[in-house]
Amino acid sequence: MSSSRTVEENREVANEALARFSSSPLLHLIDGELVPSSSSLTFDNVSPIDQMSLGQVAAGGPTEIALAADAAAEAFDGWVSLPGGERKKILHRVADLIVERADEIAVIESVDTGQPIRFMSSAAIRGAENFRYFADAAPAALDGDAMPTSTHLNYSTRRAIGPVGVITPWNTPFMLSTWKIAPALASGCTVVHKPAEWSPLTASILAEIAGEAGLPAGVLNVVHGVGEVAGKALTEHPAIKAIAFVGESSTGSLIQAQGAPTLKRLHFELGGKNPVVVFDDADLERALDAVVFMIYSLNGERCTSSSRLIVQDTVHDWFVERLTERVNGLQVGDPLDPRTEIGPLIHPLHCAKVRSYLDKAIEDGARVVIGDSKFDPNSNFVPPMLFLEANNSMRISQEEIFGPALTVIPFSDESEAVQIANDVEYGLAGYLWTGDSGRAHRVARDLDVGMVWVNSQNVRHLATPFGGTKRSGIGRDGGDYSFDFYMETKNIAMAYGRHDIGKLGAAKT
Ligand code: NAD
């Protein structure tokens, strides 16, 4: 396992795996063939660890998107007509091959994103679980409902909507790609995937695995490229019936406009500024563990991170003292080192954005605690940050930082806690710590978010609805919610017998 090897051993595995990619630019997969861009344009993929090139990547544009969309359209009838049980077998083989290559996927993901290996090893396995879950659900995906009335038997069936586009971000690319692509394929859709340009590698591994598992040519296509070019072309292509998008809220707005002329069905999983509310009757030690985990794991580059701690004033000082100790104890370093808890952030531009919140915190009047750090300020490493004595109107409380930065806001009673929690533009997740079950239900009811975890960190069950309110998203996925997005529901009304039919034009006879 990559998380039990030394940093040197992980580096060796990563170098071997990378050698396979560096011989040529990373190519698109279109209709089962690895192809360069027609323009021959490429871009450099740089590791966040040391700014070294991980190789060139083919930069796709409208031409490659059109070829991929045509291939997905051509492959659709064959794939959607395959019995669900056959799709299930192929998708289970994809999962088997992911498990076989989980170590390689984990180290590649780590060098490509900067995410610590301790989290990436389970992210690869979770990718396999996504495929298994939706593989098992594939045979029943067509099932609808029966709604008998006095005159008609109504029943509904579902059918895959057609070729779809999947656009994913850079933070945990493998896990997120599988979360979107597995239900699309299970439902019978064919896919054009546009992965994030800052972490493109594992999308190509997934495509390779899918081909080895027996997925027919054209069913899964991958076009690399920048969002404003390849991503935009995908959202505008008339053959693509729906776009499943994970990324920033502002990009979601652009995609909504780009998809409007072709009336795209859209599913958005966007940004968050998620509250964790800690009441003084909670198990404070467990709450502390969860608070630290949910903001400083995955480099804080996590949509469901609890980036605002809303803590009752009666336990505020106790909590902040221990939080400060933990932040100072966080291990920042090489993501391939199994001891590392925070790795380098994805890109210098993103680092600059995250670091800018140090100044913003001070300008807005917060007190800043910075974890011990002994690394080059010009690198992609940033220290963990803790913003104290904050209020909810500060930029550190309102804006998604998407890094290892936690804002602490005190409250005095339940209604104030809810008011602060809801007073943001986002509504993805909320976390709640209390020993009072009535309060737990009340506050969970009143939080304006798509998902609430009570006395828990984020623990996902694949059947449950995942998604956000407000600027955090549109729609839900998970379980049957995913199939609802990737499929069209058709109602069939069958008359029992001779019910009344109005006779028009028959007055003269
Ligand atoms: P981003 O919006 O910049 O990019 C996401 C993807 O969209 C990339 O593949 C990019 O190339 C593409 N893209 C960019 N412009 C486009 C355009 N005009 N048309 C089509 N595609 C375009 O997001 P990011 O910086 O890669 O990811 C971080 C964001 O993702 C954060 O806001 C985070 O909260 C969010 N996120 C949300 C979830 C969730 O489930 N809600 C999960 C993970 C990440």
Side-chain angles (χ1 to χ4, degrees), residues 366-390:
R367 185 159 70 80
V368 173
V369 174
I370 302 176
D372 289 338
S373 55
K374 297 179 191 63
F375 37 79
D376 178 358
N378 296 318
S379 71
N380 284 16
F381 289 90
V382 302
M385 298 174 233
L386 184 58
F387 303 133
L388 303 173
E389 295 165 24

Side-chain angles (χ1 to χ4, degrees), residues 241-306:
K241 302 298 173 203
I243 296 285
F245 169 72
V246 186
E248 285 189 21
S249 306
S250 55
T251 313
S253 299
L254 290 176
I255 290 177
Q256 212 163 26
Q258 293 162 193
T262 50
L263 286 177
K264 288 279 183 290
R265 180 182 290 187
L266 299 171
H267 185 276
F268 285 167
E269 287 180 8
L270 309 174
K273 192 71 187 175
N274 310 297
V276 49
V277 182
V278 178
F279 289 95
D280 60 8
D281 58 10
D283 180 336
L284 294 180
E285 293 288 352
R286 281 178 64 74
L288 177 70
D289 287 344
V291 166
V292 173
F293 185 81
M294 280 312 304
I295 183 64
Y296 298 109
S297 62
L298 295 176
N299 294 347
E301 296 165 326
R302 174 183 199 151
C303 57
T304 51
S305 71
S306 55

